[in-house]
């Protein structure tokens, strides 16, 4: 089973890949990096993307249950925390940010501990394939071994 470096190397083989990293969204630290950074510094990119990931993971709007996919979600009057029955996994699957020149895909990784890491892939907009990137990042995240 592949580790961080192997998974980031695989992510960099995707069409249009400019940079990839594995980030802990609670601390904002990069656990591994490959390729370029959009701002020239992987640690800055990790801290900035962690803010975005943390916001999505903590806002009730994005925590709708399977039974309440279009409804109120979150910590409503029922006493549940708004998460689906697959408790313990990441609260959000992925985030996509589109800029004029690229795509940023943040794929949350389910881990045996607190699931507070995500893969960040930066793609060139002209040569990247967003659908393929999402599918391949899902596969990479599933086989990633953190230890």
């Amino acid at each position: 089973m592949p580790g961080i470096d192997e998974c980031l190397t695989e992510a960099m083989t995707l069409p249009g890949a400019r940079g990839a990293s594995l980030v802990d969204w609670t601390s904002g630290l990069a656990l591994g990096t490959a390729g370029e950074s959009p701002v020239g510094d992987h640690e800055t990119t990790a801290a900035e993307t962690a803010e975005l990931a943390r916001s999505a993971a903590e806002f009730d709007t994005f925590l709708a249950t399977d039974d309440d996919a279009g409804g109120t979600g979150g910590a409503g009057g029922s006493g549940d925390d708004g998460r689906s029955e697959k408790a313990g996994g990441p609260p959000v699957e992925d985030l996509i940010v589109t800029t004029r020149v690229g795509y940023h895909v943040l794929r949350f990784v389910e881990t045996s501990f607190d699931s507070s890491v995500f893969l960040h892939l930066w793609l060139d907009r002209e040569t990247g394939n967003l659908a393929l990137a999402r599918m391949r990042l899902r596969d990479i995240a599933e086989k990633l071994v953190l230890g």
Side-chain angles (χ1 to χ4, degrees):
M1 297 184 99
I4 295 171
D5 291 336
E6 293 85 0
C7 286
L8 294 176
T9 299
E10 183 177 343
M12 289 301 296
T13 66
L14 289 164
R18 306 261 329 255
S21 58
L22 182 71
V23 178
D24 178 324
W25 57 269
T26 56
S27 68
L29 296 175
L31 305 176
T33 62
E36 304 172 53
S37 163
V39 295
D41 175 38
H42 285 288
E43 290 304 324
T44 299
T45 299
E48 292 174 353
T49 56
E51 285 294 318
L52 180 62
R54 192 169 27 256
S55 293
E58 293 175 353
F59 287 141
D60 287 346
T61 298
F62 303 114
L63 299 179
T65 64
D66 291 338
D67 294 336
D68 194 26
T72 58
S78 67
D80 91 60
D81 68 357
R83 295 174 195 248
S84 72
E85 290 301 313
K86 287 174 49 176
V92 176
E93 285 184 10
D94 56 25
L95 297 173
I96 300 168
V97 175
T98 304
T99 67
R100 289 188 177 108
V101 295
Y103 302 113
H104 296 267
V105 183
L106 282 62
R107 177 69 190 194
F108 288 77
V109 178
E110 188 167 349
T111 63
S112 59
F113 45 101
D114 62 2
S115 295
S116 65
V117 297
F118 64 89
L119 287 163
H120 170 222
L121 178 65
W122 175 37
L123 294 169
D124 179 78
R125 188 169 176 152
E126 299 246 338
T127 59
N129 181 326
L130 188 55
L132 177 63
R134 284 192 67 224
M135 289 187 300
R136 293 277 301 278
L137 275 184
R138 179 195 61 220
D139 296 342
I140 291 169
E142 287 175 357
K143 64 184 176 184
L144 176 64
V145 174
L146 298 173

